[in-house]
Amino acid sequence: MPVTVIKHEMSEEELKEAFPDGKYKRLPDEVYKRLEFHPASFEVKEHHVAVYAGMDDETVVKAQRPKDLLRGSIVTPSLEAAIINGKYVNSLPLYRMEQEFKRNDVNLNRQNMANWTIECADRYLAVLYDYLHKLLYQYHVLQADETTVEVSKDGRAAGSKSYMWIYRTGKSYEEAIVLYEYQKDRKEDHPEEFLKDFQGVCVTDGYQAYHSLEEKTPGLTIAGCWAHARRKYADAQKAIKDEKERKGTLAYDALKQIGAIYKLDNDLAELTPAQRQHRRQLELKPLVDAYFVWVKKHQSEVLPKSQTGKAFAYSVNQERYLRVFLEDGEVPLDNNATESTLRGFCIGRHNWKLIDTIRGARSSAIIYSITETAKANDLKVYEYVEYLLTEIPKHEDDTNRDFLEDLLPWSPNLPEQCRKSNKYEVK
């Protein structure tokens, strides 16, 4: 952040009063910091393009002008980045931003803001989205999940469920890619198409579509999520109010065993994948083996439709997938990283309720992909989006996409203002 130094010094008279003999020396300054806030400010940049005409009045030429964002519109990279940051990062509906702009004497219609955002996603940010999609296939471990969303004008009855699918690189990688994809339903065709060129491990919940995909996709392995297995027992515990009664239940014993698996795996976090795989085989595999033996032994003691019965059934049915992490040091124990990434979208969905059109849903998927990828790589989202919307229009006519390498969230060529710094902390 910019720093303004404000000096507080003693006058000559004050120094003479403090040191009558005139003998003193200056020590290093005592330094303290205060953080100022400046409300949003607006500036109109009026471009004047020189126009020249020949004396014959037949030849007219204009001075060159830069390639602008959405030429013919008043929107600039800084304004559109503010709109995207407001809606997709801070979960503010456009009507609330419209009101805030009005309080600053700026009249921006929410429909215009929506149109600008969709156009920017389709024309500029989609280029980076497609590039990241290709890069995604280079990673050995991916994680996937999906959540519902309502699109009001998709040709179906009001209230019909659509889905935002999410795919991300495994949480162990320093370079993170997060991609959303909008689809009208939850059919297995969608992950099949999205992951058609992927060879590796994909961590998911117990949704059957992923398991079916594994069966018909050579080179694809599906890994299960231990957090889902644990959650089933936690739900069973919630039904019991008395703390002492909880400790005597099978669900409580199951949670203790899964907790031991988590604790031991967390202790391996700093190891290399090869070292982690070796230690998992040596130390974790016996715990996992014992857990499944215990589950199968006690499964017949509870009603199948009880919460604990459902938890047992989930673990038994998912055993093959829950064991995958033992064979690969890059595979995480659960899919929590993906669920955490979905949280921003879910908060936004709660605030703006629904998306108006299919085109808007697809554009939202692109923008959430860029903003969540920026967050996962520890970038300042507003500054990064502003930079993208400044640079990508310059290459709109390029057929070569090599310029995108410099725009990737981990590129060393990104401007420093795009990167977060932990140097200063406000306490």
Side-chain angles (χ1 to χ4, degrees), residues 259-269 279 283-284 287:
I261 293 171
Y262 262 94
K263 184 180 184 308
L264 189 51
D265 196 63
N266 289 339
D267 292 341
L268 311 179
R279 293 278 296 277
E283 302 170 30
L284 268 169
L287 293 182

Side-chain angles (χ1 to χ4, degrees), residues 197-212:
D197 295 324
F198 174 65
Q199 301 283 297
V201 181
C202 186
V203 184
T204 72
D205 57 21
Y207 183 35
Q208 182 58 38
Y210 298 111
H211 302 159
S212 301

Side-chain angles (χ1 to χ4, degrees), residues 85-300:
N85 191 65
K87 179 173 181 180
Y88 296 92
V89 179
N90 295 325
S91 304
L92 293 173
L94 290 181
Y95 79 88
R96 287 175 60 183
M97 281 191 270
E98 180 183 49
Q99 293 170 346
E100 181 62 21
F101 282 131
K102 281 183 179 180
R103 284 189 280 269
N104 286 279
D105 294 325
V106 177
N107 292 310
L108 291 181
N109 182 283
R110 72 189 76 167
Q111 188 59 54
N112 284 339
M113 287 191 278
N115 290 338
W116 293 339
T117 301
I118 291 172
E119 286 294 328
C120 285
D122 291 352
R123 289 175 57 176
Y124 308 118
L125 299 180
V127 177
L128 182 58
Y129 177 95
D130 292 339
Y131 196 74
L132 289 170
H133 190 176
K134 291 179 181 178
L135 289 181
L136 194 73
Y137 298 142
Q138 298 178 10
Y139 292 82
H140 172 58
V141 176
L142 301 182
Q143 299 180 228
D145 204 350
E146 74 286 330
T147 189
T148 58
V149 64
E150 184 178 346
V151 178
S152 60
K153 298 174 184 175
D154 66 354
R156 298 181 296 174
S160 298
K161 286 184 180 179
S162 295
Y163 288 85
M164 277 291 186
W165 297 72
I166 180 173
Y167 307 87
R168 63 159 294 153
T169 49
K171 70 175 185 179
S172 63
Y173 301 122
E174 289 186 13
E175 299 169 354
I177 297 175
V178 178
L179 296 182
Y180 282 72
E181 185 191 37
Y182 164 75
Q183 293 291 351
K184 288 176 70 173
D185 53 47
R186 205 183 179 202
K187 293 179 181 177
E188 66 184 65
D189 301 7
H190 307 312
E192 180 179 358
E193 176 63 24
F194 198 90
L195 299 173
K196 63 182 179 181
D197 295 324
F198 174 65
Q199 301 283 297
V201 181
C202 186
V203 184
T204 72
D205 57 21
Y207 183 35
Q208 182 58 38
Y210 298 111
H211 302 159
S212 301
L213 180 61
E214 180 189 50
E215 293 171 3
K216 57 184 177 182
T217 308
L220 174 65
T221 300
I222 297 298
C225 172
W226 278 88
H228 277 77
R230 184 192 179 282
R231 205 170 293 157
K232 305 290 183 183
Y233 295 113
D235 290 342
Q237 287 280 278
K238 289 176 185 175
I240 303 172
K241 302 301 181 184
D242 188 275
E243 182 97 14
K244 291 181 180 179
E245 285 185 34
R246 287 183 182 180
K247 291 185 177 180
T249 63
L250 290 170
Y252 180 82
D253 292 339
L255 288 172
K256 282 178 63 178
Q257 292 184 65
I258 295 176
I261 293 171
Y262 262 94
K263 184 180 184 308
L264 189 51
D265 196 63
N266 289 339
D267 292 341
L268 311 179
E270 301 303 319
L271 302 181
T272 65
Q275 292 170 333
R276 191 178 303 115
Q277 180 183 355
H278 175 71
R279 293 278 296 277
R280 280 175 170 176
Q281 285 290 311
L282 194 66
E283 302 170 30
L284 268 169
K285 188 174 182 299
L287 293 182
V288 173
D289 290 343
Y291 167 75
F292 283 110
V293 168
W294 178 86
V295 168
K296 291 168 186 176
K297 176 183 176 182
H298 293 285
Q299 188 174 14
S300 61

